[in-house]
Structure formats: C-alpha cells, structure tokens
Amino acid sequence: METVNSARKVDMQNPGSDLSEQIKAATKEIHVRAENTQLMLSYQKGQITLPQYKLLLCSLYEIYKALEEEMDRNASHPGVAPIYFPQELARLETLERDLEHFFGQEWRKRVIIPAATHRYTQRLRKIGEGNPKLLVAHAYTRYLGDLSGGQVLGKITQKSIGLSSGEGLSFFSFPGVSSPNRFKQLYRSRMNSIELTKEEREGVLEEAIMAFELNIQVFDDLQKMLNVTKEAYGDQEKAKTPAIIPSLSIVQLSLGICVALATVGMGIYVF
C-alpha cells in the first residue's frame, strides 16, 4: 500500500514531468533506506570484505541473468526498445569473469544465493512475460546506479579486499560507455520517450519502488548469510574441532538456502 501511495502522490504532483524525474522523486525515501543497509554502509566506510563481495557477485549474477534475458526477449517491445543497450550496459559476461576469478572454472556449481534473490529474479521473469513495460523500472535503477557508482565502488572494493590488479572487478567497468554522464543523459531521454498511459506510468513508478525494496531484501539476506557463517566458525573455534567446513557450505547448511546451478542459456547493484 505504501508503494502504491508513494507512486500516486508523485504522479499527481508531477503529472507532466519526465518519467526519469518521476522515478527519482518516487524512490527518494527508499533510496535512502537502501544506502543505509549494513552492506552498503560497509561500502561507504571502505570496509567491504571479500566474503561480502563474493556473495554479492553471486546474487548480482542471478539478478542480471534474469533481467538481461528478459530484456533480450522483449528487445523489440515498444516499452523496452528505446532503452535496450546491450553493447553498452550488459553485465552478465563481466560477472561471469569475476566469478571465475574468485571461484575457478567450476564457479557455476558454487554460486549460492539467498531467498530474496530468488524473489527478485522471479519478479523480473513475471513482468518480462506479462508486462514488459515495467522492465524499464528495473533497468533504470540497476544500470544507471551501476554506471553512476561503478568507478568509485570499484576502487573501494579493490582497496578494501587488496586486489593488486583489475581482476575480479570487471563488473564495475563499462568499456562501451566513453562518457557516463552523456550516456545517462541519452538513456533518460530514451526512457522519457516511452509512451505510457497514466495507469501504466503509475505502474512503472510502483515497480521502481519495488525494485529498491527487492534490492534491500537481497542486501539484508546476504548480511544474514555472512553473520551465520561467522557464528558457525566461532562455534567451531570454541569446540576446537579439527574439521573446517568451507564457508559457503556453512551458510547453505545453516540457512537451508538454495544453490543456484547457473548454466548458460538458462531462462540479474550496486546503487
């Protein structure tokens, strides 16, 4: 209900404004919430850890896999075509490179994600099949967020976890975008050109708020996974048991979450 009310309030206050500005206004409050999740606060303090980053990459992979497959499938749809920039924005291959760097060639068998990430991908699949115009809300919040903060977050990550080269940081790089500011202007112009009825526009605003909410849930679930891992290791130290269970296995056993066996062709922010 809060999501609907926020979207309607913005729509009534700014009936003639651009869609990009309306999304920005509608998501202002929830954007602050996202920035204050424990994971994002760690980033802001320059204290991101390798376990945090690796788990984040796993979830981002699943989210972008769903998003980009739905964008590809609906590339000619009038609500998607104006904002379809696979050469400039696609993140899936960059995430695959990063995951292979950290987990090796068998990384697909080691990808682990929380329930919140499943909910996120399921939502993307649902709207991609039934209402593709809503994909603009997710594409805008994800891609422009990544493009805006990519360089800064990449440097923070590199320094925090001690990466000596650019390996493992491909996600933050957009080689197809020579000028992020000019590209963002183009992107906003394109999304503002999408023809929407009043009801459809209100739906996009509601979906943008939902996109932030889904991201917050993912961040919170990832942090819970890490907390359980720490507790499990702490219990092992107290018991002085000789066997050490790998951290990902501890999380899997403790939370009963699902391991995603991501394969190519199967049909996913940093803010």
Side-chain angles (χ1 to χ4, degrees):
M1 183 64 68
E2 181 181 351
T3 298
V4 175
N5 290 339
S6 298
R8 287 176 177 171
K9 181 178 179 181
V10 170
D11 187 61
M12 288 187 294
Q13 290 178 340
N14 304 281
S17 64
D18 292 334
L19 178 62
S20 60
E21 290 301 314
Q22 287 189 323
I23 289 180
K24 184 177 180 180
T27 60
K28 184 177 180 180
E29 291 183 8
I30 198 166
H31 196 159
V32 174
R33 278 182 54 206
E35 290 176 339
N36 283 279
T37 59
Q38 190 170 348
L39 186 64
M40 288 298 102
L41 287 174
S42 294
Y43 255 112
Q44 293 171 33
K45 296 174 183 177
Q47 298 173 349
I48 191 74
T49 66
L50 183 56
Q52 282 178 316
Y53 183 54
K54 288 164 70 174
L55 284 174
L56 177 61
L57 287 176
C58 290
S59 279
L60 287 175
Y61 173 78
E62 290 300 316
I63 293 168
Y64 274 106
K65 183 175 178 62
L67 176 59
E68 293 182 0
E69 286 180 355
E70 293 307 318
M71 293 285 286
D72 291 344
R73 188 156 67 92
N74 292 284
S76 62
H77 190 281
V80 175
I83 56 162
Y84 185 63
F85 292 95
Q87 297 300 318
E88 293 83 359
L89 297 177
R91 297 291 83 201
L92 200 56
E93 289 186 7
T94 67
L95 286 161
E96 289 175 348
R97 288 198 296 271
D98 290 341
L99 287 167
E100 183 172 346
H101 172 74
F102 289 113
F103 295 106
Q105 293 184 350
E106 298 296 317
W107 64 267
R108 288 181 174 83
K109 296 179 180 179
R110 301 182 64 189
V111 172
I112 187 167
I113 59 175
T117 302
H118 278 295
R119 291 195 295 272
Y120 198 162
T121 60
Q122 287 168 358
R123 179 61 185 174
L124 290 168
R125 300 293 187 192
K126 181 178 181 179
I127 64 175
E129 181 177 352
N131 194 354
K133 282 188 175 182
L134 295 180
L135 287 171
V136 65
H138 294 274
Y140 173 73
T141 54
R142 285 238 55 95
Y143 286 125
L144 263 64
D146 296 335
L147 192 59
S148 297
Q151 289 186 335
V152 173
L153 291 177
K155 290 178 181 178
I156 291 174
T157 303
Q158 184 174 20
K159 183 177 180 181
S160 296
I161 63 181
L163 294 175
S164 58
S165 64
E167 292 186 342
L169 298 167
S170 299
F171 173 71
F172 300 108
S173 176
F174 289 81
V177 178
S178 58
S179 171
N181 287 334
R182 285 201 297 269
F183 184 84
K184 285 187 289 185
Q185 290 176 357
L186 171 64
Y187 194 93
R188 292 189 183 100
S189 175
R190 290 286 190 89
M191 68 179 289
N192 291 337
S193 72
I194 297 174
E195 294 186 5
L196 299 168
T197 64
K198 184 178 183 298
E199 290 73 20
E200 289 173 335
R201 181 174 293 250
E202 186 175 291
V204 170
L205 298 181
E206 293 172 13
E207 194 68 27
I209 296 171
M210 181 180 291
F212 273 87
E213 184 61 48
L214 289 168
N215 274 287
I216 290 171
Q217 292 175 13
V218 169
F219 294 158
D220 287 345
D221 268 16
L222 290 176
Q223 194 59 49
K224 290 176 185 176
M225 290 168 67
L226 289 162
N227 291 341
V228 169
T229 302
K230 291 177 183 178
E231 291 173 6
Y233 272 127
D235 291 342
Q236 285 183 348
E237 287 298 317
K238 290 178 182 178
K240 296 184 178 180
T241 53
I244 302 297
I245 304 174
S247 60
L248 288 182
S249 297
I250 293 172
V251 176
Q252 181 184 351
L253 293 170
S254 301
L255 295 183
I257 54 183
C258 178
V259 177
L261 299 177
T263 56
V264 177
M266 231 179 105
I268 152 203
Y269 110 190
V270 180
F271 292 102

